[in-house]
Amino acid sequence: MAPKGDSQAKLYPGRPPRLLYATCMLSVIINLAAFWLLTGPRIQPNDFAELEMPYLYSPAQHAVRQIVVKFTRGLADDIPIYERHPSTEVDEAWRSLYSVAENKISEAEAVKMPNHTWPLYRMPGNYMIALDVFHQLHCLDMLRQRIHHSSNYNYTWVPISHLRHCIGAIRQALMCASDISTVVFQWSEQQQIAEQRDDVLHMCRDFEQIRGWAAEHQFVAQEDDFNAVHRH
Protein backbone atom coordinates (compact mmCIF):
# COMPACT_ATOMS: atom_id res chain seq x y z
CA MET A 1 0.00 0.00 0.00
CA ALA A 2 1.34 3.46 -0.92
CA PRO A 3 1.99 5.92 1.91
CA LYS A 4 -0.86 8.30 2.67
CA GLY A 5 1.18 11.32 1.53
CA ASP A 6 1.91 9.72 -1.82
CA SER A 7 -1.78 8.89 -2.29
CA GLN A 8 -2.73 12.51 -1.68
CA ALA A 9 -0.08 13.71 -4.12
CA LYS A 10 -1.46 11.38 -6.79
CA LEU A 11 -5.09 12.35 -6.12
CA TYR A 12 -4.23 16.09 -6.16
CA PRO A 13 -1.28 16.45 -8.54
CA GLY A 14 -1.52 20.28 -8.48
CA ARG A 15 -1.42 20.53 -4.68
CA PRO A 16 1.87 20.30 -2.69
CA PRO A 17 2.07 17.76 0.14
CA ARG A 18 1.05 19.06 3.58
CA LEU A 19 4.56 18.78 4.98
CA LEU A 20 6.00 20.95 2.21
CA TYR A 21 3.17 23.50 2.68
CA ALA A 22 3.78 23.68 6.44
CA THR A 23 7.53 24.06 5.91
CA CYS A 24 7.00 26.97 3.53
CA MET A 25 4.63 28.74 5.94
CA LEU A 26 7.06 28.30 8.84
CA SER A 27 9.86 29.74 6.72
CA VAL A 28 7.75 32.80 5.89
CA ILE A 29 6.91 33.38 9.59
CA ILE A 30 10.56 33.06 10.65
CA ASN A 31 11.71 35.50 7.97
CA LEU A 32 9.03 38.04 8.93
CA ALA A 33 10.01 37.76 12.58
CA ALA A 34 13.70 38.22 11.72
CA PHE A 35 12.86 41.28 9.60
CA TRP A 36 10.87 42.86 12.47
CA LEU A 37 13.68 42.20 14.97
CA LEU A 38 16.23 43.83 12.66
CA THR A 39 14.16 46.85 11.65
CA GLY A 40 11.57 47.27 14.43
CA PRO A 41 11.74 49.58 17.46
CA ARG A 42 14.49 48.92 19.95
CA ILE A 43 13.75 48.57 23.66
CA GLN A 44 16.35 50.51 25.60
CA PRO A 45 17.32 49.64 29.20
CA ASN A 46 15.55 52.76 30.49
CA ASP A 47 12.30 51.58 28.91
CA PHE A 48 12.02 48.80 31.47
CA ALA A 49 12.17 51.31 34.30
CA GLU A 50 9.24 53.15 32.75
CA LEU A 51 7.27 49.94 32.25
CA GLU A 52 7.80 48.96 35.89
CA MET A 53 6.58 52.20 37.46
CA PRO A 54 5.32 51.84 41.03
CA TYR A 55 1.57 52.18 41.44
CA LEU A 56 -0.57 53.55 44.26
CA TYR A 57 -4.34 53.42 43.99
CA SER A 58 -6.44 56.59 44.23
CA PRO A 59 -10.24 56.59 44.03
CA ALA A 60 -9.95 59.66 41.76
CA GLN A 61 -7.53 58.09 39.29
CA HIS A 62 -10.14 57.65 36.56
CA ALA A 63 -10.71 61.44 36.62
CA VAL A 64 -7.14 62.15 35.53
CA ARG A 65 -6.86 63.64 32.03
CA GLN A 66 -3.76 65.19 30.52
CA ILE A 67 -4.00 68.63 28.90
CA VAL A 68 -1.54 71.24 27.63
CA VAL A 69 -1.54 74.52 29.61
CA LYS A 70 0.41 77.72 28.96
CA PHE A 71 1.55 79.19 32.27
CA THR A 72 1.33 82.88 33.09
CA ARG A 73 4.21 84.98 34.45
CA GLY A 74 2.10 87.00 36.85
CA LEU A 75 3.74 90.26 35.84
CA ALA A 76 2.18 93.55 34.80
CA ASP A 77 0.34 92.29 31.74
CA ASP A 78 -0.95 88.89 32.89
CA ILE A 79 -1.73 88.87 36.61
CA PRO A 80 -4.34 86.16 37.39
CA ILE A 81 -6.90 86.91 40.06
CA TYR A 82 -5.05 84.64 42.52
CA GLU A 83 -1.99 86.94 42.55
CA ARG A 84 -3.87 90.20 42.89
CA HIS A 85 -4.14 92.41 45.97
CA PRO A 86 -6.53 91.03 48.63
CA SER A 87 -10.21 91.60 48.03
CA THR A 88 -13.49 89.73 48.48
CA GLU A 89 -13.28 88.52 44.89
CA VAL A 90 -9.69 87.30 45.27
CA ASP A 91 -10.47 85.47 48.52
CA GLU A 92 -13.49 83.79 46.97
CA ALA A 93 -11.44 82.69 43.96
CA TRP A 94 -8.91 81.06 46.28
CA ARG A 95 -11.56 79.38 48.44
CA SER A 96 -13.26 77.95 45.36
CA LEU A 97 -10.06 76.12 44.44
CA TYR A 98 -10.18 73.89 47.51
CA SER A 99 -13.74 74.25 48.80
CA VAL A 100 -14.52 70.68 47.65
CA ALA A 101 -11.72 69.17 49.75
CA GLU A 102 -13.81 66.92 52.02
CA ASN A 103 -14.85 63.81 50.11
CA LYS A 104 -16.52 60.49 50.83
CA ILE A 105 -15.77 57.19 49.13
CA SER A 106 -17.15 53.68 49.38
CA GLU A 107 -15.64 50.92 51.50
CA ALA A 108 -14.74 49.04 48.32
CA GLU A 109 -12.61 52.01 47.25
CA ALA A 110 -11.18 52.61 50.71
CA VAL A 111 -9.76 49.08 51.04
CA LYS A 112 -7.75 49.57 47.83
CA MET A 113 -5.88 52.60 49.14
CA PRO A 114 -2.30 52.21 50.44
CA ASN A 115 -3.24 54.08 53.66
CA HIS A 116 -6.31 53.37 55.76
CA THR A 117 -8.77 56.16 56.52
CA TRP A 118 -11.55 56.95 58.99
CA PRO A 119 -15.11 55.69 58.41
CA LEU A 120 -17.95 58.16 58.09
CA TYR A 121 -20.15 56.65 60.78
CA ARG A 122 -23.24 58.75 60.09
CA MET A 123 -23.08 57.56 56.47
CA PRO A 124 -22.54 53.79 56.83
CA GLY A 125 -20.38 52.26 54.14
CA ASN A 126 -18.55 55.53 53.41
CA TYR A 127 -15.08 56.73 54.35
CA MET A 128 -13.52 60.21 54.55
CA ILE A 129 -10.67 61.40 52.34
CA ALA A 130 -9.28 64.59 50.82
CA LEU A 131 -7.22 64.76 47.64
CA ASP A 132 -3.81 66.22 48.45
CA VAL A 133 -3.99 68.85 45.72
CA PHE A 134 -6.67 70.65 47.74
CA HIS A 135 -4.60 70.39 50.92
CA GLN A 136 -1.65 71.91 49.05
CA LEU A 137 -3.78 74.75 47.65
CA HIS A 138 -5.14 75.45 51.11
CA CYS A 139 -1.56 75.66 52.40
CA LEU A 140 -0.56 78.04 49.62
CA ASP A 141 -3.54 80.23 50.49
CA MET A 142 -2.43 80.31 54.13
CA LEU A 143 0.97 81.61 53.02
CA ARG A 144 -0.70 84.20 50.80
CA GLN A 145 -2.82 85.41 53.67
CA ARG A 146 0.22 85.64 55.94
CA ILE A 147 2.04 87.77 53.37
CA HIS A 148 -0.86 90.23 53.30
CA HIS A 149 -1.60 90.08 57.04
CA SER A 150 0.12 93.41 57.69
CA SER A 151 -2.17 95.14 55.19
CA ASN A 152 -5.56 96.47 56.12
CA TYR A 153 -7.21 93.20 55.17
CA ASN A 154 -8.53 91.23 58.15
CA TYR A 155 -7.04 87.75 57.81
CA THR A 156 -7.01 85.23 60.63
CA TRP A 157 -3.58 84.92 62.20
CA VAL A 158 -1.93 81.65 61.23
CA PRO A 159 0.70 80.30 63.70
CA ILE A 160 4.25 79.68 62.54
CA SER A 161 3.88 75.93 63.15
CA HIS A 162 1.04 75.80 60.62
CA LEU A 163 3.02 77.82 58.07
CA ARG A 164 6.05 75.56 58.54
CA HIS A 165 3.83 72.56 57.85
CA CYS A 166 2.48 74.27 54.74
CA ILE A 167 5.93 75.09 53.39
CA GLY A 168 6.89 71.46 53.84
CA ALA A 169 3.74 70.19 52.16
CA ILE A 170 4.25 72.42 49.11
CA ARG A 171 7.97 71.64 48.90
CA GLN A 172 7.34 67.90 48.93
CA ALA A 173 4.57 68.22 46.34
CA LEU A 174 6.84 70.18 43.98
CA MET A 175 9.68 67.69 44.38
CA CYS A 176 7.26 64.78 43.95
CA ALA A 177 5.92 66.18 40.68
CA SER A 178 9.41 67.33 39.52
CA ASP A 179 8.05 69.25 36.55
CA ILE A 180 10.47 68.84 33.64
CA SER A 181 8.82 71.40 31.37
CA THR A 182 11.52 73.65 29.93
CA VAL A 183 11.95 77.25 31.03
CA VAL A 184 13.53 79.08 28.08
CA PHE A 185 15.51 82.27 27.45
CA GLN A 186 14.39 84.69 24.74
CA TRP A 187 15.81 88.00 23.60
CA SER A 188 14.07 91.03 25.05
CA GLU A 189 14.37 94.22 23.01
CA GLN A 190 13.17 96.22 26.01
CA GLN A 191 15.67 94.73 28.49
CA GLN A 192 18.40 94.08 25.89
CA ILE A 193 19.14 90.71 27.44
CA ALA A 194 18.19 87.07 26.93
CA GLU A 195 15.29 87.04 29.37
CA GLN A 196 14.03 84.01 31.27
CA ARG A 197 10.54 83.01 30.10
CA ASP A 198 8.52 80.65 32.27
CA ASP A 199 5.23 81.42 30.51
CA VAL A 200 5.67 78.21 28.53
CA LEU A 201 3.60 75.16 27.67
CA HIS A 202 3.22 72.44 30.30
CA MET A 203 1.68 68.98 30.21
CA CYS A 204 -0.77 69.06 33.13
CA ARG A 205 -3.45 67.05 34.79
CA ASP A 206 -6.78 68.71 34.12
CA PHE A 207 -7.47 70.41 37.45
CA GLU A 208 -11.13 71.14 36.63
CA GLN A 209 -11.71 67.48 35.84
CA ILE A 210 -10.27 66.44 39.20
CA ARG A 211 -12.14 69.20 41.00
CA GLY A 212 -15.32 67.94 39.33
CA TRP A 213 -14.70 64.46 40.76
CA ALA A 214 -14.22 65.96 44.20
CA ALA A 215 -17.43 68.00 43.89
CA GLU A 216 -19.37 64.84 43.07
CA HIS A 217 -17.98 63.11 46.18
CA GLN A 218 -18.14 66.10 48.51
CA PHE A 219 -19.81 65.99 51.91
CA VAL A 220 -20.17 68.66 54.58
CA ALA A 221 -18.03 67.55 57.48
CA GLN A 222 -19.28 67.87 61.04
CA GLU A 223 -17.18 67.99 64.19
CA ASP A 224 -18.44 64.58 65.32
CA ASP A 225 -17.16 63.00 62.09
CA PHE A 226 -13.61 63.28 63.44
CA ASN A 227 -14.11 61.71 66.85
CA ALA A 228 -15.45 58.46 68.31
CA VAL A 229 -18.96 59.66 69.17
CA HIS A 230 -20.59 57.41 66.54
CA ARG A 231 -18.45 54.33 67.09
CA HIS A 232 -20.88 52.54 69.41
Side-chain angles (χ1 to χ4, degrees):
M1 179 180 291
K4 186 176 181 181
D6 291 344
S7 301
Q8 289 183 341
K10 292 177 181 178
L11 290 172
Y12 304 99
R15 179 179 176 181
R18 289 182 179 178
L19 181 59
L20 178 61
Y21 178 78
T23 302
C24 290
M25 288 300 298
L26 182 61
S27 176
V28 170
I29 293 171
I30 292 173
N31 279 280
L32 287 174
F35 179 79
W36 184 86
L37 289 172
L38 290 172
T39 62
R42 298 288 192 273
I43 297 179
Q44 302 298 329
N46 289 339
D47 293 340
F48 289 104
E50 295 178 2
L51 292 173
E52 298 174 2
M53 291 174 58
Y55 167 75
L56 294 177
Y57 171 80
S58 168
Q61 61 191 25
H62 67 275
V64 173
R65 182 170 68 99
Q66 299 290 334
I67 59 172
V68 175
V69 177
K70 185 178 185 292
F71 279 21
T72 60
R73 301 181 78 191
L75 300 178
D77 58 343
D78 65 344
I79 302 178
I81 189 170
Y82 308 104
E83 282 95 77
R84 295 175 189 170
H85 193 74
S87 68
T88 302
E89 292 74 23
V90 171
D91 287 350
E92 181 55 37
W94 271 98
R95 278 193 295 269
S96 70
L97 291 176
Y98 56 84
S99 61
V100 295
E102 294 162 337
N103 310 126
K104 63 179 186 295
I105 59 171
S106 68
E107 183 176 4
E109 293 170 306
V111 297
K112 296 178 186 178
M113 297 196 309
N115 304 295
H116 66 270
T117 191
W118 191 252
L120 192 53
Y121 285 105
R122 62 187 173 90
M123 299 181 186
N126 288 281
Y127 286 73
M128 299 188 295
I129 65 163
L131 300 184
D132 208 6
V133 61
F134 303 120
H135 166 227
Q136 295 153 12
L137 286 168
H138 162 78
C139 272
L140 189 57
D141 193 22
M142 294 300 100
L143 294 173
R144 177 190 71 91
Q145 292 182 27
R146 182 61 181 266
I147 289 172
H148 293 289
H149 186 79
S150 59
S151 66
N152 294 327
Y153 217 71
N154 186 26
Y155 286 125
T156 302
W157 180 262
V158 180
I160 290 294
S161 58
H162 191 164
L163 296 179
R164 183 171 59 245
H165 156 78
C166 283
I167 291 171
I170 296 170
R171 175 190 61 80
Q172 291 174 90
L174 291 172
M175 293 174 67
C176 180
S178 291
D179 189 352
I180 59 172
S181 303
T182 51
V183 173
V184 297
F185 296 84
Q186 298 175 351
W187 184 256
S188 169
E189 288 293 340
Q190 182 179 2
Q191 302 291 334
Q192 286 295 295
I193 59 171
E195 183 182 28
Q196 175 178 308
R197 301 299 301 239
D198 42 39
D199 51 338
V200 295
L201 298 177
H202 289 68
M203 183 63 73
C204 303
R205 288 179 173 179
D206 188 338
F207 175 76
E208 293 302 328
Q209 190 89 354
I210 294 171
R211 190 185 183 283
W213 180 92
E216 291 176 0
H217 293 77
Q218 186 180 11
F219 77 101
V220 179
Q222 300 177 5
E223 185 177 352
D224 287 346
D225 291 332
F226 302 95
N227 58 44
V229 70
H230 294 292
R231 293 188 67 178
H232 302 293

PDB file of all heavy atoms in Angstrom, residues 69-75 78-80 83 198-200 202:
ATOM      1  N   VAL A  69      -1.202  73.218  29.015  1.00  0.00           N
ATOM      2  CA  VAL A  69      -1.539  74.517  29.610  1.00  0.00           C
ATOM      3  C   VAL A  69      -0.352  75.464  29.457  1.00  0.00           C
ATOM      4  O   VAL A  69       0.790  75.077  29.729  1.00  0.00           O
ATOM      5  CB  VAL A  69      -1.877  74.375  31.108  1.00  0.00           C
ATOM      6  CG1 VAL A  69      -2.160  75.745  31.725  1.00  0.00           C
ATOM      7  CG2 VAL A  69      -3.071  73.439  31.300  1.00  0.00           C
ATOM      8  N   LYS A  70      -0.627  76.687  29.027  1.00  0.00           N
ATOM      9  CA  LYS A  70       0.409  77.723  28.963  1.00  0.00           C
ATOM     10  C   LYS A  70       0.378  78.512  30.267  1.00  0.00           C
ATOM     11  O   LYS A  70      -0.631  79.104  30.614  1.00  0.00           O
ATOM     12  CB  LYS A  70       0.182  78.662  27.778  1.00  0.00           C
ATOM     13  CG  LYS A  70       1.296  79.691  27.586  1.00  0.00           C
ATOM     14  CD  LYS A  70       1.007  80.552  26.347  1.00  0.00           C
ATOM     15  CE  LYS A  70       2.179  81.494  26.068  1.00  0.00           C
ATOM     16  NZ  LYS A  70       2.313  82.526  27.115  1.00  0.00           N
ATOM     17  N   PHE A  71       1.482  78.492  30.991  1.00  0.00           N
ATOM     18  CA  PHE A  71       1.553  79.185  32.275  1.00  0.00           C
ATOM     19  C   PHE A  71       1.602  80.700  32.065  1.00  0.00           C
ATOM     20  O   PHE A  71       1.980  81.181  30.985  1.00  0.00           O
ATOM     21  CB  PHE A  71       2.797  78.749  33.054  1.00  0.00           C
ATOM     22  CG  PHE A  71       2.627  77.447  33.794  1.00  0.00           C
ATOM     23  CD1 PHE A  71       1.645  76.532  33.442  1.00  0.00           C
ATOM     24  CD2 PHE A  71       3.467  77.123  34.842  1.00  0.00           C
ATOM     25  CE1 PHE A  71       1.488  75.341  34.123  1.00  0.00           C
ATOM     26  CE2 PHE A  71       3.326  75.926  35.536  1.00  0.00           C
ATOM     27  CZ  PHE A  71       2.335  75.037  35.182  1.00  0.00           C
ATOM     28  N   THR A  72       1.224  81.422  33.097  1.00  0.00           N
ATOM     29  CA  THR A  72       1.334  82.876  33.092  1.00  0.00           C
ATOM     30  C   THR A  72       2.544  83.287  33.928  1.00  0.00           C
ATOM     31  O   THR A  72       3.001  82.540  34.803  1.00  0.00           O
ATOM     32  CB  THR A  72       0.078  83.536  33.679  1.00  0.00           C
ATOM     33  OG1 THR A  72      -0.089  83.082  35.036  1.00  0.00           O
ATOM     34  CG2 THR A  72      -1.160  83.148  32.872  1.00  0.00           C
ATOM     35  N   ARG A  73       3.050  84.494  33.696  1.00  0.00           N
ATOM     36  CA  ARG A  73       4.210  84.984  34.446  1.00  0.00           C
ATOM     37  C   ARG A  73       3.779  85.729  35.706  1.00  0.00           C
ATOM     38  O   ARG A  73       4.551  85.882  36.643  1.00  0.00           O
ATOM     39  CB  ARG A  73       5.059  85.903  33.561  1.00  0.00           C
ATOM     40  CG  ARG A  73       5.574  85.239  32.294  1.00  0.00           C
ATOM     41  CD  ARG A  73       6.427  86.199  31.497  1.00  0.00           C
ATOM     42  NE  ARG A  73       7.763  86.330  32.077  1.00  0.00           N
ATOM     43  CZ  ARG A  73       8.643  87.260  31.697  1.00  0.00           C
ATOM     44  NH1 ARG A  73       8.304  88.148  30.776  1.00  0.00           N
ATOM     45  NH2 ARG A  73       9.841  87.307  32.251  1.00  0.00           N
ATOM     46  N   GLY A  74       2.560  86.249  35.699  1.00  0.00           N
ATOM     47  CA  GLY A  74       2.105  87.003  36.852  1.00  0.00           C
ATOM     48  C   GLY A  74       2.745  88.365  36.966  1.00  0.00           C
ATOM     49  O   GLY A  74       2.877  88.905  38.073  1.00  0.00           O
ATOM     50  N   LEU A  75       3.157  88.930  35.843  1.00  0.00           N
ATOM     51  CA  LEU A  75       3.742  90.261  35.838  1.00  0.00           C
ATOM     52  C   LEU A  75       2.682  91.283  35.432  1.00  0.00           C
ATOM     53  O   LEU A  75       1.487  91.018  35.513  1.00  0.00           O
ATOM     54  CB  LEU A  75       4.958  90.291  34.915  1.00  0.00           C
ATOM     55  CG  LEU A  75       6.086  89.312  35.326  1.00  0.00           C
ATOM     56  CD1 LEU A  75       7.236  89.358  34.334  1.00  0.00           C
ATOM     57  CD2 LEU A  75       6.583  89.619  36.734  1.00  0.00           C
ATOM     58  N   ASP A  78      -0.196  90.158  32.811  1.00  0.00           N
ATOM     59  CA  ASP A  78      -0.949  88.889  32.893  1.00  0.00           C
ATOM     60  C   ASP A  78      -1.057  88.413  34.337  1.00  0.00           C
ATOM     61  O   ASP A  78      -0.636  87.311  34.673  1.00  0.00           O
ATOM     62  CB  ASP A  78      -0.316  87.811  32.010  1.00  0.00           C
ATOM     63  CG  ASP A  78       1.079  87.410  32.494  1.00  0.00           C
ATOM     64  OD1 ASP A  78       1.661  88.153  33.302  1.00  0.00           O
ATOM     65  OD2 ASP A  78       1.567  86.339  32.072  1.00  0.00           O
ATOM     66  N   ILE A  79      -1.616  89.230  35.202  1.00  0.00           N
ATOM     67  CA  ILE A  79      -1.733  88.873  36.610  1.00  0.00           C
ATOM     68  C   ILE A  79      -3.077  88.173  36.846  1.00  0.00           C
ATOM     69  O   ILE A  79      -4.128  88.822  36.782  1.00  0.00           O
ATOM     70  CB  ILE A  79      -1.628  90.109  37.521  1.00  0.00           C
ATOM     71  CG1 ILE A  79      -0.303  90.833  37.283  1.00  0.00           C
ATOM     72  CG2 ILE A  79      -1.742  89.694  38.991  1.00  0.00           C
ATOM     73  CD1 ILE A  79      -0.135  92.085  38.107  1.00  0.00           C
ATOM     74  N   PRO A  80      -3.082  86.860  37.103  1.00  0.00           N
ATOM     75  CA  PRO A  80      -4.338  86.163  37.388  1.00  0.00           C
ATOM     76  C   PRO A  80      -4.947  86.676  38.683  1.00  0.00           C
ATOM     77  O   PRO A  80      -4.264  87.301  39.502  1.00  0.00           O
ATOM     78  CB  PRO A  80      -3.908  84.696  37.519  1.00  0.00           C
ATOM     79  CG  PRO A  80      -2.553  84.625  36.896  1.00  0.00           C
ATOM     80  CD  PRO A  80      -1.927  85.955  37.118  1.00  0.00           C
ATOM     81  N   GLU A  83      -3.177  86.163  42.145  1.00  0.00           N
ATOM     82  CA  GLU A  83      -1.992  86.938  42.554  1.00  0.00           C
ATOM     83  C   GLU A  83      -2.288  88.413  42.788  1.00  0.00           C
ATOM     84  O   GLU A  83      -1.371  89.197  43.022  1.00  0.00           O
ATOM     85  CB  GLU A  83      -0.896  86.813  41.491  1.00  0.00           C
ATOM     86  CG  GLU A  83      -0.136  85.496  41.550  1.00  0.00           C
ATOM     87  CD  GLU A  83      -0.685  84.456  40.599  1.00  0.00           C
ATOM     88  OE1 GLU A  83      -0.423  84.540  39.387  1.00  0.00           O
ATOM     89  OE2 GLU A  83      -1.411  83.552  41.078  1.00  0.00           O
ATOM     90  N   ASP A 198       9.166  81.842  31.708  1.00  0.00           N
ATOM     91  CA  ASP A 198       8.524  80.652  32.269  1.00  0.00           C
ATOM     92  C   ASP A 198       7.046  80.585  31.906  1.00  0.00           C
ATOM     93  O   ASP A 198       6.315  79.730  32.416  1.00  0.00           O
ATOM     94  CB  ASP A 198       8.703  80.586  33.786  1.00  0.00           C
ATOM     95  CG  ASP A 198       8.503  81.935  34.454  1.00  0.00           C
ATOM     96  OD1 ASP A 198       7.595  82.667  34.031  1.00  0.00           O
ATOM     97  OD2 ASP A 198       9.271  82.260  35.381  1.00  0.00           O
ATOM     98  N   ASP A 199       6.602  81.497  31.025  1.00  0.00           N
ATOM     99  CA  ASP A 199       5.227  81.421  30.513  1.00  0.00           C
ATOM    100  C   ASP A 199       5.223  80.488  29.301  1.00  0.00           C
ATOM    101  O   ASP A 199       5.002  80.903  28.165  1.00  0.00           O
ATOM    102  CB  ASP A 199       4.689  82.809  30.164  1.00  0.00           C
ATOM    103  CG  ASP A 199       5.624  83.597  29.258  1.00  0.00           C
ATOM    104  OD1 ASP A 199       6.842  83.284  29.217  1.00  0.00           O
ATOM    105  OD2 ASP A 199       5.153  84.529  28.578  1.00  0.00           O
ATOM    106  N   VAL A 200       5.490  79.219  29.577  1.00  0.00           N
ATOM    107  CA  VAL A 200       5.668  78.212  28.532  1.00  0.00           C
ATOM    108  C   VAL A 200       4.609  77.120  28.667  1.00  0.00           C
ATOM    109  O   VAL A 200       3.859  77.061  29.642  1.00  0.00           O
ATOM    110  CB  VAL A 200       7.083  77.595  28.609  1.00  0.00           C
ATOM    111  CG1 VAL A 200       8.141  78.647  28.303  1.00  0.00           C
ATOM    112  CG2 VAL A 200       7.331  76.976  29.985  1.00  0.00           C
ATOM    113  N   HIS A 202       3.023  73.543  29.360  1.00  0.00           N
ATOM    114  CA  HIS A 202       3.224  72.440  30.303  1.00  0.00           C
ATOM    115  C   HIS A 202       2.207  71.336  30.011  1.00  0.00           C
ATOM    116  O   HIS A 202       1.079  71.620  29.592  1.00  0.00           O
ATOM    117  CB  HIS A 202       3.014  72.895  31.753  1.00  0.00           C
ATOM    118  CG  HIS A 202       4.086  73.784  32.284  1.00  0.00           C
ATOM    119  ND1 HIS A 202       4.291  75.057  31.817  1.00  0.00           N
ATOM    120  CD2 HIS A 202       5.007  73.580  33.263  1.00  0.00           C
ATOM    121  CE1 HIS A 202       5.294  75.606  32.481  1.00  0.00           C
ATOM    122  NE2 HIS A 202       5.740  74.730  33.362  1.00  0.00           N
TER     123      HIS A 202
END
